[in-house]
């Protein structure tokens, strides 16, 4: 099958070269037809998993769309984007995709640009988190400029989670605040609650109790937040953190509400330590005295807590 597709690709290239030839009866090259044949060749190479040759064919398609007097911008941009998608050298591939995205924006198709940046972010994420953050933020910015806040906030969410994974917590805190503002604007208040919880975890990991407390207090103005499960959990967490009550912090951070958040935030929850706690739970004041089971029970609690935080 692969060999057949490669042969088909070369047939399309031969047809493209024929379209470019001139003669006594044909004074101008047929750039449009040549571009079309190279596009077909690229698809054949792609199906045969000959990605480098597919890239070259897409770039040829883009070149001949440029030569075409009618200058079909959309086809050229798409060809450049596809060339980037075919490349194994990811940094160079992303450059091609970003170039295509700039052309999309310049020629009035920002939505297509944002979607291409999102795809590029997914491609680069496994090998370069920093670049993925940049691409997701750019895509979010394009959607935001178009007042497409639902699409923008989804992409901001991707960037925020990666910033947490990169331990760039100051930037993550700012990104989460922007997310929450957008969710508030589109009146998705349950998501505002979740973002408040994420903010609290980020701020506590930054060692900024005041900022964490402020996030909760500001959220009281959100419809339905005061008294909600999210609100009670954060009030309890902040109280335990402030009072250095490791048992209370442990219970909240290992509750289903926090454990089943997005993975990056769940990790923040289970790894949270109270100041000066050293990662150990306090021994319960009501532990049995003088019995054979008293001291071992306290030791068992300590071991369980350590395991839960690893």
């Amino acid at each position: 099958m692969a060999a057949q597709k490669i042969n088909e690709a070369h047939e399309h290239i031969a047809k493209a070269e024929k379209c470019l030839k001139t003669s006594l009866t044909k004074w101008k090259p047929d750039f449009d037809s040549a571009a079309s044949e190279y596009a077909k060749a690229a698809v054949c190479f792609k199906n045969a998993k000959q990605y480098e040759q597919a890239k070259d064919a897409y770039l040829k398609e883009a070149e001949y769309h440029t030569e075409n007097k009618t200058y079909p911008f959309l086809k050229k941009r798409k060809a450049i984007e596809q060339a980037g998608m075919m490349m194994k050298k990811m940094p160079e591939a992303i450059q091609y995709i970003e170039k295509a995205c700039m052309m999309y924006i310049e020629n009035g198709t920002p939505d297509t640009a944002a979607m291409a940046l999102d795809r590029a972010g997914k491609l680069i994420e496994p090998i370069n988190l920093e670049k993925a953050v940049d691409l997701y933020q750019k895509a979010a910015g394009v959607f935001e400029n178009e007042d497409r806040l639902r699409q923008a906030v989804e992409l901001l969410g991707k960037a925020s989670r990666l910033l947490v994974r990169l331990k760039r917590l100051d930037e993550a805190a700012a990104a989460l605040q922007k997310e929450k503002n957008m969710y508030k604007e589109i009146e998705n208040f349950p998501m505002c609650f979740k973002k408040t919880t994420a903010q609290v975890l980020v701020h506590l990991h930054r060692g900024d109790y005041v900022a964490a407390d402020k996030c909760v207090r500001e959220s009281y103005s959100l419809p339905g937040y005061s008294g909600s499960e999210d609100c009670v959990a954060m009030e309890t967490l902040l109280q335990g953190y402030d009072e250095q009550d490791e048992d209370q912090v442990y219970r909240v951070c290992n509750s289903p509400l926090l454990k089943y958040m997005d993975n990056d935030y769940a990790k923040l929850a289970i790894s949270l330590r109270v100041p000066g706690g050293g990662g150990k739970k306090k021994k319960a004041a009501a532990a049995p005295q003088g019995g054979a089971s008293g001291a071992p029970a306290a030791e068992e609690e300590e071991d369980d807590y350590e395991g839960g935080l690893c």
Side-chain angles (χ1 to χ4, degrees), residues 77-97:
R77 295 190 299 264
K78 190 66 178 176
I80 293 174
E81 181 190 344
Q82 287 297 323
M85 293 289 187
M86 294 300 102
M87 298 179 70
K88 291 184 179 180
K89 294 179 180 179
M90 195 55 68
E92 190 178 353
I94 297 303
Q95 287 179 7
Y96 275 101
I97 296 170

Side-chain angles (χ1 to χ4, degrees), residues 108-179:
T109 52
D111 284 5
T112 308
M115 289 186 285
L117 288 167
D118 182 20
R119 287 194 295 270
K122 291 174 185 174
L123 279 176
I124 199 76
E125 189 175 318
I127 59 173
N128 189 332
L129 292 179
E130 289 86 354
K131 186 60 182 176
V133 168
D134 176 57
L135 291 167
Y136 289 142
Q137 289 177 332
K138 284 179 179 176
V142 173
F143 275 131
E144 186 179 3
N145 288 339
E146 296 299 306
D147 291 325
R148 301 276 297 278
L149 295 188
R150 285 178 172 79
Q151 290 83 356
V153 76
E154 182 181 341
L155 288 158
L156 275 179
K158 293 182 181 183
S160 298
R161 291 191 291 274
L162 294 188
L163 286 169
V164 168
R165 201 178 305 173
L166 288 163
K167 303 189 188 307
R168 289 161 54 180
L169 297 183
D170 290 350
E171 295 171 72
L176 280 165
Q177 183 61 49
K178 188 169 184 179
E179 276 189 77

Side-chain angles (χ1 to χ4, degrees), residues 168-206:
R168 289 161 54 180
L169 297 183
D170 290 350
E171 295 171 72
L176 280 165
Q177 183 61 49
K178 188 169 184 179
E179 276 189 77
K180 191 161 77 170
N181 291 342
M182 282 192 183
Y183 278 121
K184 184 177 179 180
E185 191 169 343
I186 62 177
E187 298 185 346
N188 187 339
F189 299 117
M191 283 304 298
C192 291
F193 303 171
K194 301 304 178 190
K195 295 307 169 183
T196 298
T197 299
Q199 283 181 303
V200 169
L201 292 170
V202 168
H203 284 309
L204 291 181
H205 272 272
R206 293 174 61 241

